[in-house]
Amino acid sequence: MAKNVHVIGAPMDYGSDRRGVDMGPSAIRYADLAAELDAAGVDAVDTGDLLVPRAEEREPSDGRAKFLEEIEDVTARLADEVADTLADGAFPLVLGGDHAVAIGSLSGSARDAEIGALWLDAHGDFNTPATSPSGNVHGMPLAAALGRGEFADTEWANAAGLREENVALVGLRNLDPSEREAIQESEMTAFTMSDIDERGVTSVVDEALDIVTAGTDGVHVSLDVDWLDPDEAPGVGTPVRGGATYREAHAALEAIAQRDAEEDLLRSLEVVEVNPILDESNRTADIAAELAASALGKRIL
């Protein structure tokens, strides 16, 4: 049975220090997302964008976690939207915005279920306000969802049905020192780009899927387009050389779709950090739309 997909735009840039990522949802739609999803064989309904006031109209609330009050407002509403979509029997596809939107995606997906999280990203996103060098919350969503540090018992930020042992990070290549230590001490599983180089991307993704599905009701996949090499996806705010190639990225998302076809494991998906101001001819948005379709079942044969 084809998935009934609800596309939810979350045009938020409070979590980043580079303006423009709030236009990401529009850029991905302009990249013919609707046709890509149709080719994947899913029934898609675009529910529009959450209302997000411009960052220029607000003052950062806290230097240790900038715009935290505004992020709480947006992600709480996004969590409700994701949870309501699931309750209606549909599949939420969230378009960011910066990666801080994942606080809402994870919270909503984990509200009434035990979930795993597969994190495709160059970064760990496991800082807290105390450890973050920048105070940008797009580097904190996993820590927030798992209740680390200052996020402990912060109901709006915590994903109730998500446990560290069911989180797998794939493709890491840029960590802050305190973040690296926190990941090593956690119960999460982390795969670096070196692991992908040595083993191949599908082998790594298959093992990651085993981890995130163990004892869970479904999986949230979070795709930050800076997971790809900036030569492939230049329109990102925090590019890091040495990332996934175009074909590696598609192979990874196709592997997820194949497992989903066999096990019905996908519960929610987000694609974040497309910044059209920094892009070249909408290349990054094009790839984002293609990868979302690959995750949802688009195949060559």
Side-chain angles (χ1 to χ4, degrees):
M1 183 180 295
K3 275 186 169 59
N4 176 18
V5 175
H6 285 193
V7 179
I8 305 166
M12 185 178 81
D13 66 349
Y14 296 132
S16 172
D17 59 2
R18 301 290 293 272
R19 301 280 73 84
V21 74
D22 57 319
M23 294 186 285
S26 292
I28 297 171
R29 290 185 177 104
Y30 184 74
D32 221 353
L33 175 67
E36 291 288 345
L37 295 179
D38 185 64
V42 302
D43 298 322
V45 175
D46 196 326
T47 65
D49 287 345
L50 297 176
L51 178 62
V52 182
R54 291 184 301 171
E56 291 83 356
E57 299 171 355
R58 305 298 178 95
E59 289 293 330
S61 51
D62 185 346
R64 303 298 301 175
K66 299 172 185 174
F67 294 108
L68 193 60
E69 293 176 7
E70 289 81 1
I71 291 169
E72 175 182 356
D73 170 63
V74 176
T75 58
R77 287 187 282 119
L78 177 58
D80 289 341
E81 188 82 10
V82 168
D84 290 347
T85 298
L86 288 164
D88 290 340
F91 180 91
L93 168 57
V94 176
L95 308 179
D98 69 69
H99 215 161
V101 304
I103 296 171
S105 302
L106 287 167
S107 179
S109 190
R111 182 170 295 176
D112 297 312
E114 299 293 321
I115 72 166
L118 179 57
W119 210 259
L120 304 173
D121 200 327
H123 307 91
D125 296 342
F126 207 53
N127 272 307
T128 65
T131 66
S132 171
S134 67
N136 295 324
V137 180
H138 73 163
M140 309 182 197
L142 262 182
L146 291 166
R148 301 278 297 195
E150 296 93 321
F151 293 112
D153 302 318
T154 306
E155 185 174 352
W156 67 268
N158 301 158
L162 177 67
R163 300 187 304 275
E164 284 188 5
E165 58 264 34
N166 292 126
V167 176
L169 304 94
V170 173
L172 295 178
R173 59 190 188 278
N174 187 5
L175 299 172
D176 297 312
S178 296
E179 185 182 33
R180 179 183 296 109
E181 183 178 349
I183 290 172
Q184 290 172 334
E185 293 176 351
S186 76
E187 296 182 74
M188 301 188 302
T189 303
F191 301 93
T192 68
M193 282 304 302
S194 294
D195 293 310
I196 291 174
D197 292 339
E198 292 171 7
R199 297 175 46 187
V201 71
T202 54
S203 172
V204 170
V205 168
D206 281 341
E207 183 178 345
L209 287 171
D210 290 340
I211 291 162
V212 299
T213 56
T216 64
D217 300 311
V219 176
H220 174 73
V221 174
S222 187
L223 170 61
D224 185 326
V225 290
D226 73 20
W227 182 56
L228 284 87
D229 192 271
D231 286 342
E232 308 275 7
V236 299
T238 50
V240 186
R241 289 185 297 177
T245 66
Y246 177 84
R247 270 310 314 157
E248 283 176 329
H250 272 288
L253 276 299
E254 289 162 6
I256 293 168
Q258 180 61 39
R259 285 281 292 268
D260 183 49
E262 298 167 356
E263 303 173 25
D264 191 25
L265 56 83
L266 266 185
R267 182 170 174 85
S268 48
L269 169 67
E270 68 193 350
V271 183
V272 302
E273 295 285 356
V274 172
N275 189 327
I277 289 178
L278 305 173
D279 207 1
E280 300 170 3
S281 303
N282 218 37
R283 283 173 54 197
T284 306
D286 287 337
I287 291 174
E290 291 177 12
L291 292 176
S294 285
L296 293 170
K298 183 180 176 183
R299 302 182 58 138
I300 296 170
L301 289 175

